[in-house]
Amino acid sequence: MALFDKYRADPFVLFPPRGPFARLLTKILLYLFLYGTAFFLLPHSLVTPGGTLFSLFVLYTLTEVFGVIAKQLMFLPSLVGMIVAGIFVSNIQFFQYQVDNHVSSSLRNVAFIALLARAGLELDTEALMKMKRVCLLMSFVPGVMAESPVVAVLSWWILGLPWGWAFMIGFIMAAVSPAIVVACIIKIQQKGYGTAKGIPTLVIASSSVDDIVAICCFSVAMTVTFATGSVVWVACKAPIEFIAGAVPGALIGVIFWYLPAEGDRHKTFLRYAMLFIGGMTAFFGAELAHSHGAGPLFVITVAFTASRKWGHDTHAVEKAFGITWRYLAPLLFGLIGAELKLDLLDISVLGIALVIVVFGVLARLVAAFVCCMGVGLNFKEKLFVSISSIPKATVQAAIGSVPLDVVRQLKDDPEYENVYQSYESWALKILAIAVVSVILTAPLGAVLTTVTGPLLLEKDSLTAPETALNGDIETNSKSKTKSAESVAELQGEIVMKNFDPEDHTEI
């Protein structure tokens, strides 16, 4: 039963506050206290209108409000409202939104790391090995080999972009948004849908590698177009980044088998802290080395490897990351929305951009469906895997404006004087397509993935986490539950008594 059904007669009870409304008021009050503390301690340039902390406070508060509105009143995933809140705050002058790009990127990545670690803990070894061929195909074919060429050809044919520029936007569009995909898939996985055949594991694993391939291909296209750097080196970055992320992640994960010691009373907290902080260290180190794909792979790999030996404690660490994610999710999706600057859009090409995005997504859906053939998935399951690859947000918001940034750096270069106007026009068209793709596919993909999961996937009764609405018990969401684990849960080792189902913010 949805939370909204429980309060359908009176969803926003004013006194005494209860349900989602009470939770929202509690969070806003908490944020006010935090902002007040910062106001009295830090320079006023940071905490007054136009300051970084003031902007983050307004953004964070409104993402919570918009998230509740989207979920409780519009029956949409909360992340849709959060992304809209980010767009709203950053494009309305009244809010005086000013957040440095580096600060915004760092905060998004912290939230993303928590999500990736949680995803790594949820991965199923047997399912991953069973689906390895499909996982490999899904990492390359739907995005780089299907959607990208379609978008490139249409951009060349309709918008008149040169081939180099056309493939730049093609590869930008080839990447899915792991932030949205993983958030939606974890929610479905915890309810037990598709777990018997390893569908959540397939989608999570392939979405991470898909991004690496797309970003590397985009870098190659950029290098060829602007004739900077070694094309051979850029082309080799994909396998190098894969190795640089997966191998150290596996090694550190093995170390986490033995540290902290099994008998340590605080092992759950220490495992959570080491995984989170270690993931941030590797992620930001990879970013500094311009190896953008290695960081996410490291975090997923170290969490996956470590959880193989953690036993019952895996679920407790998973719960800790679940709580962390609930409070970081508004920051991630709000900042993603805030990256979309509508004043930079070339309004004249929005209609054409919409056509290009739609045909690109259709090509991706067909290719993803074909990749799932021959592995025992039925029609509905193949359709779901295809649908789950629709959302775009993180990569498009992050690199959609990169060509424009590069072009504007060439403004005073005499070598580009004759082509600067054309370059700027093409870069603005690329940005328009990227923004349209986020606005269209992020909410649509999230809604379709969340809604169609229970409709298209079979529920595994052995793995579904039956969270009681009366808040008495929550069973383990890992793969097959053994009787010994059930006894341990009932003894209180990994189960939380009086668990409040409203505490699950369904992003």
Side-chain angles (χ1 to χ4, degrees), residues 183-249:
C184 295
I185 291 298
I186 284 180
K187 176 183 168 185
I188 290 170
Q189 183 180 27
Q190 290 182 331
K191 295 178 180 178
Y193 291 105
T195 54
K197 294 185 179 180
I199 292 173
T201 294
L202 164 66
V203 174
I204 289 172
S206 60
S207 67
S208 301
V209 181
D210 170 278
D211 269 18
I212 295 176
V213 176
I215 292 172
C216 288
C217 290
F218 168 75
S219 299
V220 171
M222 280 273 293
T223 302
V224 172
T225 302
F226 293 102
T228 59
S230 168
V231 177
V232 176
W233 162 246
V234 175
C236 292
K237 281 186 69 177
I240 292 174
E241 288 193 7
F242 183 87
I243 295 170
V247 174

Side-chain angles (χ1 to χ4, degrees), residues 271 306-316 476 478 485:
R271 283 170 170 170
S307 67
R308 298 310 93 191
K309 292 288 186 178
W310 283 355
H312 303 318
D313 203 40
T314 298
H315 185 66
N476 197 344
K478 294 305 287 182
E485 294 174 341

Side-chain angles (χ1 to χ4, degrees), residues 127-142 202 206 369-377 382:
L128 191 61
M129 295 306 296
K130 180 181 176 182
M131 293 283 191
K132 58 181 181 294
R133 181 183 68 84
V134 183
C135 183
L136 185 63
L137 290 175
M138 286 290 293
S139 301
F140 288 87
V141 177
L202 164 66
S206 60
F369 189 92
V370 172
C371 287
C372 294
M373 291 182 174
V375 290
L377 300 183
K382 294 173 190 172

Side-chain angles (χ1 to χ4, degrees), residues 166-489:
F167 272 98
M168 268 198 283
I169 184 56
F171 292 131
I172 289 173
M173 291 286 292
V176 299
S177 171
I180 294 177
V181 172
V182 174
C184 295
I185 291 298
I186 284 180
K187 176 183 168 185
I188 290 170
Q189 183 180 27
Q190 290 182 331
K191 295 178 180 178
Y193 291 105
T195 54
K197 294 185 179 180
I199 292 173
T201 294
L202 164 66
V203 174
I204 289 172
S206 60
S207 67
S208 301
V209 181
D210 170 278
D211 269 18
I212 295 176
V213 176
I215 292 172
C216 288
C217 290
F218 168 75
S219 299
V220 171
M222 280 273 293
T223 302
V224 172
T225 302
F226 293 102
T228 59
S230 168
V231 177
V232 176
W233 162 246
V234 175
C236 292
K237 281 186 69 177
I240 292 174
E241 288 193 7
F242 183 87
I243 295 170
V247 174
L251 293 175
I252 299 296
V254 171
I255 293 175
F256 286 176
W257 291 354
Y258 307 102
L259 295 176
E262 187 63 32
D264 195 314
R265 288 188 306 161
H266 305 292
K267 66 180 180 181
T268 298
F269 170 76
L270 290 173
R271 283 170 170 170
Y272 161 78
M274 290 174 68
L275 190 53
F276 197 9
I277 297 172
M280 285 193 284
T281 301
F283 193 101
F284 290 117
E287 290 289 307
L288 187 63
H290 303 289
S291 182
H292 304 293
L297 257 183
F298 175 92
V299 178
I300 287 182
T301 305
V302 70
F304 172 72
T305 305
S307 67
R308 298 310 93 191
K309 292 288 186 178
W310 283 355
H312 303 318
D313 203 40
T314 298
H315 185 66
V317 178
E318 216 174 279
K319 292 289 294 180
F321 275 107
I323 295 170
T324 303
W325 167 245
R326 286 198 293 274
Y327 287 91
L328 289 180
L331 204 57
L332 173 61
F333 295 119
L335 288 170
I336 286 175
E339 288 294 309
L340 304 180
K341 307 297 183 183
L342 301 183
D343 58 331
L344 296 177
L345 289 182
D346 185 347
I347 305 297
S348 63
V349 301
L350 289 185
I352 298 174
L354 180 62
V355 172
I356 292 173
V357 170
V358 169
F359 276 96
V361 169
L362 290 176
R364 184 183 197 100
L365 289 173
V366 173
F369 189 92
V370 172
C371 287
C372 294
M373 291 182 174
V375 290
L377 300 183
N378 60 38
F379 177 85
K380 290 183 178 180
E381 291 164 340
K382 294 173 190 172
L383 182 59
F384 174 78
V385 173
S386 302
I387 290 172
S388 68
S389 69
I390 290 177
K392 305 180 188 301
T394 317
V395 174
Q396 289 73 23
I399 67 176
S401 62
V402 168
L404 182 62
D405 294 338
V406 172
V407 167
R408 287 180 172 169
Q409 291 174 6
L410 305 175
K411 186 173 183 179
D412 298 323
D413 191 332
E415 185 179 347
Y416 293 92
E417 184 177 356
N418 295 329
V419 295
Y420 176 78
Q421 294 297 330
S422 297
Y423 275 23
E424 186 179 42
S425 172
W426 298 332
L428 286 170
K429 290 176 181 178
I430 286 177
L431 179 62
I433 297 174
V435 170
V436 168
S437 73
V438 175
I439 294 174
L440 176 66
T441 66
L444 179 63
V447 170
L448 289 177
T449 302
T450 304
V451 171
T452 60
L455 298 177
L456 300 177
L457 301 179
E458 295 179 2
K459 187 172 185 178
D460 185 358
S461 59
L462 294 177
T463 62
E466 302 289 345
T467 304
L469 286 177
N470 61 8
D472 289 332
I473 197 167
E474 179 178 355
T475 60
N476 197 344
S477 65
K478 294 305 287 182
S479 50
K480 295 194 175 179
T481 305
K482 300 178 182 178
S483 58
E485 294 174 341
S486 299
V487 172
E489 288 177 326

Side-chain angles (χ1 to χ4, degrees), residues 27 31 55-65 326-332:
K27 288 182 176 180
Y31 305 152
S55 298
L56 289 174
F57 166 71
V58 172
L59 176 69
Y60 204 84
T61 303
L62 286 182
T63 54
E64 290 282 11
V65 173
R326 286 198 293 274
Y327 287 91
L328 289 180
L331 204 57
L332 173 61

